[in-house]
Amino acid sequence: MNNLPTNQPLHDNRQALAYPYQNVRHGVSYALIVGCILSPSLASAKGISKETVLLRKQMQEYQQQLEVTNTRLQELEQREAARNAPKYQDTVGKTAVVQDTPTAKGRNVQEQADVEDPVAAKVPVERYLKGFYDGGFSLRTQDNKFSLTINGLAQSRYTLSLPNKAAGNDNQTFDLALGRLFFSGTAFDPKLSYFFFYQTSTLSNNSSVSTIDWWGKYQLGDVGIKTGRILPQYSRQFYTDIGKYLFMDLQAPEYAFSLQRTPGAEAMWKPGKWTLSLTAGNGVRALDSGTQQNVGTKIAGIGRIVYDVLAPYDYVQETSPAGIGTPQLSVGAAFGFNPVDASSGLQNVSVGTDTYNGTADIGYRYQYFSTEAAFFWRQNNRLQRIVGPSTTNDYGWYWQAGYYVLPKRLELAGTANQVLFEYQDGSPFKNQTVGSVGLNYYFYEHNFKLQTDYSYITGKDWADHTLNDSRLRVQAQVYF
């Protein structure tokens, strides 16, 4: 690193400035001595002469001048000490003075380098950290080999539910729908990335904090290899950033059919307009299951293929407040085998069932309009059944669309979805249909927005009772 050269002009000016100040000090001292000698005679005099008054005034002026001189000398000494302090050059070329931090002050410096001072620690310039905000609070070395980005998401929701008697009781509640803290970046090599986050929620009367995704990925050209607890690329909406949805939550078929997070490994290849991914891992659990370890020797396998007909309709966001200048259109399909190792009422599956899963989707965006749709199918092979059929088939679909009636600010949204279960295996209903309209206001794109929606939900339980529910939701989101 560059060391600051000796500030000789400043040093010379300080000496030159100090010289007359020393003369002033001597003069004041002489005046004080004279004052002490004359003070007895002055005290015994019948009156105070004009010379005495003048001398006292001069003494006061000398004292004031001495105080000003001392103040200026202290300022010069502090400035010179700061200029001669250890320095480093940051990544944008500006010089900053190294200050001792509380950590450095409390360290045993006898054998340890002061790591708060990169010069003393002999840190290469390419390893200096640069902090900034770019879609998250980030720290990054100059060579991009090490980086850390921190993001946060908070969704506060109010829900009013007015079901009929067969569906339940009236209810209103406030929830922290989601609270998430994300960590991502690179380590040792820009091609080696990592991602993990923690989540809390009060939905379903819960208040725990959980580790959700936790994986590392290495990129080899168009091929990426990912291992850890991962979110497989199966359904489109579940793979999209939840803080950038058109509505405030997943569509009901996503909850019922999606193959979501599991420990495993994934390979992804993107040749041109095609994107292909393959995932192998433990049996995939539904969102209402807390177990993770595999049972037996069977493992889950998932494959997905996407083709970009026009510009890519990516997974970053479902709707764009800024508008899209180039039409985006993509189609996708996925297939998966999953041995069910934990029963789920949400997905209507039980332990010992082997499922074959399929989905197809399409997404389109242009200017201030966006729409997407998906279809789901699942075959359940109930190997450990006691009663009921050995094989059943379940289906689901959804469609949604949004349009900005006030560009970048106010968006009108609509959706419809349906879930159809063939045989009861944990779910309280056998079919459900939802129609919703929503209104979203964006204060600062998806980083700060307010979402509202009204839904009419109808269906039947396994006793053929009609289930109706009117639901109103309001949600505020902060995302950084």
Side-chain angles (χ1 to χ4, degrees):
M1 297 307 302
N2 295 330
N3 294 322
L4 186 72
T6 304
N7 293 293
Q8 189 64 37
L10 176 64
H11 182 69
D12 293 344
N13 290 339
R14 178 179 173 275
Q15 288 183 336
L17 185 62
Y19 182 74
Y21 294 159
Q22 293 175 355
N23 292 337
V24 171
R25 288 179 178 177
H26 294 159
V28 173
S29 300
Y30 296 149
L32 290 173
I33 293 172
V34 172
C36 292
I37 296 173
L38 295 177
S39 57
S41 58
L42 291 174
S44 60
K46 295 181 179 180
I48 301 176
S49 65
K50 292 183 179 181
E51 290 80 6
T52 302
V53 173
L54 180 61
L55 181 60
R56 289 180 176 177
K57 184 177 180 181
Q58 289 177 348
M59 290 173 61
Q60 292 175 354
E61 291 176 353
Y62 284 141
Q63 289 176 344
Q64 293 175 356
Q65 188 175 1
L66 184 60
E67 291 176 357
V68 173
T69 302
N70 287 331
T71 300
R72 295 190 63 184
L73 279 173
Q74 291 174 2
E75 291 176 353
L76 284 173
E77 289 171 351
Q78 292 174 358
R79 193 178 305 171
E80 185 175 2
R83 289 182 177 273
N84 290 331
K87 309 219 171 195
Y88 69 92
Q89 203 76 14
D90 66 15
T91 53
V92 294
K94 296 180 180 179
T95 300
V97 177
V98 175
Q99 301 290 339
D100 284 342
T101 66
T103 303
K105 291 177 180 179
R107 181 186 296 110
N108 179 0
V109 296
Q110 206 167 11
E111 297 292 339
Q112 298 172 323
D114 185 357
V115 295
E116 275 72 22
D117 180 356
V119 176
K122 299 181 180 179
V123 177
V125 66
E126 63 271 13
R127 295 292 175 85
Y128 282 13
L129 288 173
K130 177 182 179 182
F132 52 90
Y133 182 87
D134 183 17
F137 294 100
S138 298
L139 290 172
R140 183 179 301 164
T141 58
Q142 198 170 37
D143 58 4
N144 288 330
K145 290 184 177 181
F146 294 87
S147 65
L148 169 65
T149 298
I150 301 175
N151 297 93
L153 170 68
Q155 295 179 337
S156 180
R157 183 184 301 175
Y158 167 79
T159 303
L160 172 64
S161 183
L162 303 172
N164 64 3
K165 291 184 179 180
N169 300 318
D170 295 352
N171 178 258
Q172 62 176 336
T173 183
F174 290 93
D175 282 294
L176 173 63
L178 278 180
R180 288 182 170 181
L181 189 61
F182 306 85
F183 300 86
S184 61
T186 57
F188 303 104
D189 189 326
K191 298 176 183 178
L192 180 61
S193 59
Y194 63 87
F195 177 81
F196 60 93
F197 74 89
Y198 297 92
Q199 172 180 294
T200 187
S201 175
T202 62
L203 294 175
S204 301
N205 201 25
N206 184 33
S207 61
S208 62
V209 177
S210 304
T211 302
I212 308 300
D213 290 349
W214 196 295
W215 51 257
K217 179 182 177 182
Y218 192 74
Q219 192 71 31
L220 297 168
D222 294 332
V223 178
I225 308 294
K226 182 189 298 183
T227 62
R229 188 172 193 260
I230 60 178
L231 175 60
Q233 295 188 43
Y234 178 71
S235 61
R236 172 171 291 280
Q237 188 175 63
F238 212 113
Y239 202 73
T240 303
D241 187 343
I242 197 171
K244 300 178 180 178
Y245 281 178
L246 178 64
F247 285 85
M248 63 187 74
D249 206 347
L250 288 164
Q251 298 282 353
E254 288 281 351
Y255 282 111
F257 295 98
S258 181
L259 297 176
Q260 56 104 22
R261 296 173 174 88
T262 187
E266 178 187 81
M268 186 183 73
W269 182 36
K270 187 171 177 57
K273 287 182 169 289
W274 295 90
T275 302
L276 300 92
S277 67
L278 293 172
T279 303
N282 294 351
V284 181
R285 273 63 164 179
L287 287 175
D288 56 347
S289 174
T291 61
Q292 289 293 302
Q293 289 187 342
N294 209 43
V295 177
T297 58
K298 295 179 181 178
I299 62 173
I302 302 168
R304 178 171 173 84
I305 183 170
V306 177
Y307 179 71
D308 300 324
V309 181
L310 301 175
Y313 180 90
D314 54 40
Y315 302 105
V316 175
Q317 56 189 355
E318 288 185 345
T319 173
S320 174
I324 301 297
T326 302
Q328 301 175 349
L329 176 62
S330 298
V331 295
F335 182 82
F337 167 76
N338 184 44
V340 178
D341 291 332
S343 299
S344 168
L346 195 62
Q347 295 201 345
N348 193 46
V349 293
S350 59
V351 174
T353 301
D354 287 349
T355 64
Y356 295 92
N357 308 264
T359 182
D361 56 78
I362 183 171
Y364 174 79
R365 273 192 297 256
Y366 182 52
Q367 294 182 348
Y368 293 104
F369 174 75
S370 63
T371 184
E372 71 178 48
F375 173 80
F376 298 87
W377 161 80
R378 181 177 64 226
Q379 183 182 89
N380 308 296
N381 297 291
R382 304 172 65 240
L383 306 179
Q384 298 180 10
R385 77 186 189 285
I386 299 176
V387 295
S390 60
T391 301
T392 60
N393 291 277
D394 303 326
Y395 302 92
W397 60 269
Y398 76 84
W399 165 84
Q400 66 180 36
Y403 182 76
Y404 287 84
V405 293
L406 291 178
K408 301 183 179 182
R409 292 295 182 187
L410 188 63
E411 181 182 34
L412 181 64
T415 185
N417 66 67
Q418 190 174 49
V419 175
L420 303 168
F421 294 139
E422 182 180 348
Y423 182 80
Q424 184 177 14
D425 213 358
S427 173
F429 64 87
K430 67 177 180 180
N431 63 69
Q432 177 180 275
T433 304
V434 181
S436 305
V437 293
L439 199 63
N440 304 326
Y441 189 83
Y442 298 83
F443 297 91
Y444 192 74
E445 297 190 341
H446 291 289
N447 300 100
F448 181 29
K449 66 181 180 181
L450 183 68
Q451 294 179 281
T452 63
D453 63 38
Y454 168 78
S455 301
Y456 182 72
I457 306 168
T458 185
K460 288 190 174 182
D461 62 16
W462 298 102
D464 276 340
H465 296 135
T466 299
L467 308 175
N468 295 325
D469 188 4
S470 294
R471 184 185 67 196
L472 174 67
R473 301 185 298 184
V474 181
Q475 178 172 283
Q477 173 176 293
V478 176
Y479 196 5
F480 64 85

